[in-house]
Each structure stands twice: as structure tokens, then as C-alpha cells.
Amino acid sequence: QKEVEQNSGPLSVPEGAIASLNCTYSDRVSQSFFWYRQYSGKSPELIMSIYSNGDKEDGRFTAQLNKASQYVSLLIRDSQPSDSATYLCAVNTAWGSQGNLIFGKGTKLSVKP
Amino acid sequence: ETGVTQTPRHLVMGMTNKKSLKCEQHLGHNAMYWYKQSAKKPLELMFVYNFKEQTENNSVPSRFSPECPNSSHLFLHLHTLQPEDSALYLCASSQETGTNYGYTFGSGTRLTVV
């Protein structure tokens, strides 16, 4: 059973701090990794994708990937109350010879003013 | 309209009813998906269609029946559901199945089975 693990949280950080969200995955052959943000009552929204080891930065967001450790993370700098949401880690996995996304349960982030 | 549109947004149905969920994407994508999201559980992949052909069925009970008449439309037909089927049903699309493609989700249908 291919799995994606995340701490469910809630993770609480003060406004302006760095929020660090972590994800591990079990399928060693996974190639693509995504972070989605889901506000309460809304659908998931893609915010970052990463395919190679190392860091990828986009504005206040940095995704980090370490395939050897099967670990992917998302850093949010200068956290804002509007960042409060559940963050879903998604990993592509070869399933029935097609690559489909497997999601973690999500980490709930709360940014306090 | 743009993106992925799902209707209805909310649905309450009895266990003996038959209803259908509709999804339409305006992104020119070739792959479409149905996911189920229940409280405190990860998103569960139900069905995958690529170029109108069903490529995966993740052991979903037969009371859920998908239909994909073309690459832009996806339906989920529901009949004799159980209360534990109450959940948020999300439709998504991507350029194709396979690696490197992120998914665009619709707003979902909140289903309650009574």
C-alpha cells in the first residue's frame, strides 16, 4: 500500500514566522511531488510542484525534496493569517501503469495575528 | 466558464434514490478523476479517465458508476448508497495521466445520504 504521511496538526505559528510542513512517502520510485492548499469548505488548490532534489522557491513558498530520505517539505516565510488552511502533500505513484496522485491527510496550519 | 465546474454543490439523497454528479472542465485536459474526501481521511482516488477511456477503478463499490462521454465531461451515477458514502466528492482534471501533471480540482459536491 503506497502511502503519504503528514502530521495532521494543527500547526500554529505567529504572523510573520516561518511555517514548516513535512511529508514522507513510501513509494521509492515516485517522481513528482505537489503541495495543495485547501481552505475550509473549499477544494484543493495547487500551490507548488517539485521534481528534483533540492529547493524550489516561489514567492514566500519554498518546496524541498530529498528523494533518498523520501521526504518533501513546504516552507512558508512571513506567514500571514490568510495562509491558515489545510496543506495537502501529493505524490505521483505508478498505479496500474499510470501515474496518479496519492494524497496525505493534510496538515492544518493556523497563523495567529 | 473556466476551470473545472461541478454540479450540484450540495446533494441530500435517500438510500433508495438514484442521482448523478456532473463535472465539466474547460481547460482542454485529457484526463479526469473522481476523488472522495471524508473527514480525517486522505483524498481517495475512485476513478481515472484518460482520453475518455477508464484506466483505473480503485475497487469502488458498484453503487458508484462513472461515465465519461467525452474528454470534457465526467459523471458519477449514484444508486442505493449507504450513509457512510456521505462525503465531499471532488472532480479533477489534468493534461494527461502520468507523472509531472498537477491536477485542477472542481469545487466539489457535498453529498449527504440519509
Side-chain angles (χ1 to χ4, degrees):
Chain A
Q1 179 78 11
K2 298 178 175 68
E3 293 182 341
V4 177
E5 299 286 345
Q6 296 181 256
N7 288 326
S8 60
L11 173 65
S12 183
V13 300
E15 184 175 356
I18 296 175
S20 178
L21 305 163
N22 305 315
C23 172
T24 59
Y25 58 94
S26 63
D27 187 357
R28 290 183 175 276
V29 301
S30 297
Q31 297 295 319
S32 307
F33 308 86
F34 304 87
W35 284 99
Y36 285 79
R37 177 177 62 201
Q38 187 173 24
Y39 291 113
S40 180
K42 303 293 185 182
S43 60
E45 172 193 11
L46 179 64
I47 55 172
M48 286 288 285
S49 59
I50 186 167
Y51 310 104
S52 304
N53 280 328
D55 295 359
K56 178 182 179 182
E57 187 174 319
D58 183 1
R60 296 187 294 112
F61 298 97
T62 299
Q64 300 175 316
L65 175 61
N66 183 327
K67 290 184 180 180
S69 301
Q70 295 176 236
Y71 175 90
V72 60
S73 65
L74 179 70
L75 301 179
I76 306 175
R77 291 183 300 281
D78 188 23
S79 296
Q80 302 297 309
S82 60
D83 295 325
S84 298
T86 296
Y87 289 81
L88 305 175
C89 174
V91 177
N92 98 283
T93 181
W95 176 53
S97 77
Q98 300 284 338
N100 297 309
L101 289 188
I102 301 298
F103 286 81
K105 291 182 181 181
T107 298
K108 187 172 183 179
L109 172 67
S110 177
V111 181
K112 305 292 187 183
Chain B
E1 292 213 43
T2 60
V4 180
T5 304
Q6 286 187 246
T7 55
R9 291 295 302 274
H10 301 273
L11 178 62
V12 180
M13 60 185 290
M15 289 189 284
T16 58
N17 291 159
K18 291 185 180 181
K19 296 286 184 183
S20 296
L21 309 184
K22 179 183 176 182
C23 176
E24 182 175 2
Q25 58 94 3
H26 308 271
L27 300 168
H29 290 167
N30 296 301
M32 297 187 77
Y33 312 81
W34 280 117
Y35 277 88
K36 176 184 179 182
Q37 188 173 37
S38 304
K40 299 185 179 180
K41 295 176 78 173
L43 280 162
E44 299 173 58
L45 181 61
M46 301 175 70
F47 301 104
V48 181
Y49 280 82
N50 197 34
F51 292 93
K52 301 187 301 178
E53 299 297 321
Q54 185 181 125
T55 58
E56 297 300 338
N57 174 337
N58 193 16
S59 302
V60 179
S62 59
R63 57 186 183 269
F64 295 91
S65 175
E67 178 189 0
C68 187
N70 54 61
S71 295
S72 299
H73 293 85
L74 185 64
F75 296 89
L76 188 62
H77 303 301
L78 317 171
H79 63 97
T80 60
L81 294 191
Q82 304 299 310
E84 59 265 30
D85 296 323
S86 299
L88 179 67
Y89 288 84
L90 289 162
C91 174
S93 70
S94 66
Q95 188 61 45
E96 292 180 25
T97 58
T99 61
N100 299 341
Y101 297 114
Y103 298 176
T104 301
F105 283 88
S107 299
T109 295
R110 174 69 63 184
L111 173 66
T112 303
V113 181
V114 296

